[in-house]
Amino acid sequence: MTQNNRIHQFLAVAGLTAAFAASSLVAGDYGKAIIDDKMPIESSWTFCDIFDNNTLYEGDGFIKEVSFHGRYHGQFISGDEEINGVTNNGYHNWHHRRFRLALEVEMQNNLTFYAEANIADGTGNSTNLFNDPGPFFNDFQDLYIEWEPSDDFFLKVGKQKQHLTREDIESSKRIKTVERSAIVNEVAGARPWGAVVGFNTGELSHQIGGWVHGAHADSPEWVDMSSNTGFSYNLEVPVSDTTSLFFDYVFVDNDEGNEAAQFPAANGTSGAAYEHAFAIGAEIESGKFQLMTDLIYGANRSGGGGIPAGNDTWGFYVVPSYDITDKLEAVFRYGYLAEGREQRPQRFGAPAGGNFGGGRQSVEHYHTIYAGLQYFICGEKLKVMGGYEYATGEVFGTDNEIKNGQWQLAVRTYW
């Protein structure tokens, strides 16, 4: 607000106050004043406003706006795992789970450029910012250009999230649990290089993607066009004002599991583990109640971790949540994984050469139950999360029972 505007607003308020006081004296009706809200006084600054002040530039030229984004996700994980009643590991550590910095450039002709770098992404033991020596960032999480000329069409080219399941599609900035479910982390989670076109036909929304799954080893891991390829298809069907249904399919050319997704590229962290992956899901949002769920199937897994090449799996998860207040939300999740490897946060802690081989276990008939709360300090832009997750199943290919209990506390913030 300029100085002249402040003076005009002050004089207007003072004049109105005097007029109301004079009318009260004449009418003899004390304590009643009609407030003219055509010129409301601006609300005072609050702490939460700092998360919205990320615009670096605004203009009327080809570059319309430049914004600086970032997120920090930290969490404390405390748990113990038993195999056949014998403690196999205990894990009690703080994770620098995600620290990312991003630049977004909005241009004319409905073009957007987005680049997001991983500054620290993991347990805190293999990151760069929190360990010396090392480059400033690990790699690009996302690096793409998007053209969206209308609400019914978009084209996005570059490194980006491959859509598979509701839980994985939802950004880590807004997921309701500290970590995603075991079946989702086993089958989904790919971020390859590729191109996606999205369009609507009537009320149906479609996305078709073409992908290259490998990257070069050298930072920042640019796409390696010699690696295996694939494609994807996503469909959204609105059923009512509160409910939508979804179908996802992802194909990876991995020679029926005999090759890794990135073959023969040096780096393959952006490729899925299964040749074929399907998900059928639903989302419901009705007042204070929300629910999301997916039934998932993966065929022809790339071999590794004690699981043979060509192995199949399936599973599902259900996440109901309820807004207790505007600031507090209760979250529950049940998940099932038929076969696969332990995922976050259960995968950490077991030493190599432990009682049952140590390290990250491969499991089957794996059930997980999570119950927790979210408290929104500044909405999703600053929140704290806490919950407990219990997991039980069998070590893959054996009758050894595995049990795992994890306390999970986290802080999530982004701007």
Side-chain angles (χ1 to χ4, degrees):
M1 182 180 294
T2 65
Q3 184 174 359
N4 288 336
N5 285 340
R6 291 194 185 97
I7 294 172
H8 292 160
Q9 182 171 332
F10 174 79
L11 292 175
V13 173
L16 290 171
T17 303
F20 294 148
S23 64
S24 296
L25 289 173
V26 173
D29 189 4
Y30 301 99
K32 293 183 178 179
I34 300 173
I35 299 175
D36 186 351
D37 62 354
K38 292 182 180 179
M39 188 177 289
I41 299 174
E42 293 184 359
S43 59
S44 59
W45 182 88
T46 66
F47 167 76
C48 293
D49 290 338
I50 64 175
F51 298 101
D52 297 321
N53 296 325
N54 59 351
T55 301
L56 302 179
Y57 169 82
E58 288 183 310
D60 297 326
F62 181 74
I63 303 297
K64 298 172 62 177
E65 183 173 307
V66 179
S67 301
F68 175 63
H69 300 280
R71 73 187 76 179
Y72 175 75
H73 296 171
Q75 59 198 42
F76 180 75
I77 305 298
S78 179
D80 295 286
E81 184 175 81
E82 295 182 353
I83 299 180
N84 284 347
V86 178
T87 299
N88 192 50
N89 78 74
Y91 187 74
H92 316 279
N93 273 14
W94 178 265
H95 293 187
H96 299 297
R97 180 63 175 91
R98 301 176 187 91
F99 181 26
R100 298 172 185 163
L101 298 177
L103 192 69
E104 182 178 24
V105 181
E106 296 182 18
M107 298 166 277
Q108 289 188 358
N109 303 318
N110 303 294
L111 290 171
T112 300
F113 171 77
Y114 186 80
E116 184 176 45
N118 286 310
I119 309 303
D121 199 355
T123 66
N125 299 324
S126 59
T127 60
N128 289 325
L129 180 66
F130 302 99
N131 294 272
D132 189 37
F136 180 68
F137 67 90
N138 298 343
D139 54 19
F140 282 114
Q141 180 75 1
D142 289 302
L143 181 65
Y144 61 78
I145 188 165
E146 182 177 16
W147 178 49
E148 190 173 5
S150 72
D151 293 337
D152 295 324
F153 180 87
F154 74 85
L155 174 64
K156 185 187 294 187
V157 180
K159 192 174 188 293
Q160 56 190 291
K161 178 178 286 189
Q162 191 175 68
H163 287 188
L164 182 65
T165 78
R166 291 339 89 216
E167 195 177 44
D168 190 60
I169 289 172
E170 185 60 88
S171 169
S172 63
K173 297 182 292 188
R174 290 178 291 273
I175 55 175
K176 296 175 180 288
T177 55
V178 176
E179 295 288 358
R180 296 178 174 93
S181 59
I183 180 62
V184 169
N185 281 327
E186 170 70 19
V187 178
R191 234 179 182 93
W193 296 82
V196 176
V197 58
F199 58 94
N200 296 336
T201 56
E203 294 185 347
L204 305 182
S205 297
H206 313 263
Q207 291 187 31
I208 300 174
W211 307 97
V212 178
H213 292 102
H216 294 282
D218 296 336
S219 180
E221 300 179 1
W222 299 108
V223 60
D224 186 339
M225 299 300 293
S226 68
S227 62
N228 283 338
T229 58
F231 66 86
S232 62
Y233 173 70
N234 309 97
L235 173 67
E236 178 180 354
V237 182
V239 177
S240 68
D241 292 339
T242 61
T243 305
S244 294
L245 301 179
F246 301 85
F247 171 76
D248 304 322
Y249 170 68
V250 172
F251 167 75
V252 175
D253 181 14
N254 69 357
D255 189 25
E256 299 183 345
N258 293 304
E259 297 176 353
Q262 78 275 13
F263 183 83
N267 190 298
T269 58
S270 60
Y274 290 83
E275 182 180 28
H276 303 280
F278 302 85
I280 300 174
E283 283 186 350
I284 299 173
E285 184 170 354
S286 179
K288 296 183 177 183
F289 174 79
Q290 303 95 41
L291 183 143
M292 65 177 179
T293 182
D294 275 289
L295 175 64
I296 306 161
Y297 178 76
N300 293 334
R301 188 186 195 277
S302 298
I307 300 177
N311 200 67
D312 300 343
T313 193
W314 72 276
F316 65 94
Y317 69 89
V318 182
V319 183
S321 59
Y322 184 81
D323 298 327
I324 300 172
T325 69
D326 291 340
K327 292 282 189 179
L328 186 65
E329 182 180 31
V331 181
F332 176 85
R333 182 180 66 207
Y334 171 75
Y336 175 76
L337 168 66
E339 298 175 355
R341 301 192 71 189
E342 283 186 308
Q343 303 292 337
R344 293 178 180 272
Q346 290 85 10
R347 62 184 287 182
F348 300 112
N355 294 322
F356 293 90
R360 180 182 176 188
Q361 299 290 333
S362 296
V363 295
E364 57 186 356
H365 313 308
Y366 198 63
H367 305 263
T368 58
I369 298 173
Y370 175 95
L373 296 169
Q374 295 193 96
Y375 183 76
F376 303 98
I377 300 171
C378 297
E380 296 280 5
K381 293 188 175 181
L382 177 60
K383 67 180 180 180
V384 290
M385 312 170 71
Y388 183 81
E389 187 167 29
Y390 177 75
T392 182
E394 298 174 357
V395 177
F396 182 81
T398 74
D399 293 327
N400 295 328
E401 183 182 36
I402 184 170
K403 295 181 179 180
N404 196 309
Q406 298 270 351
W407 287 103
Q408 305 170 31
L409 301 173
V411 58
R412 300 285 191 260
T413 185
Y414 76 94
W415 64 90

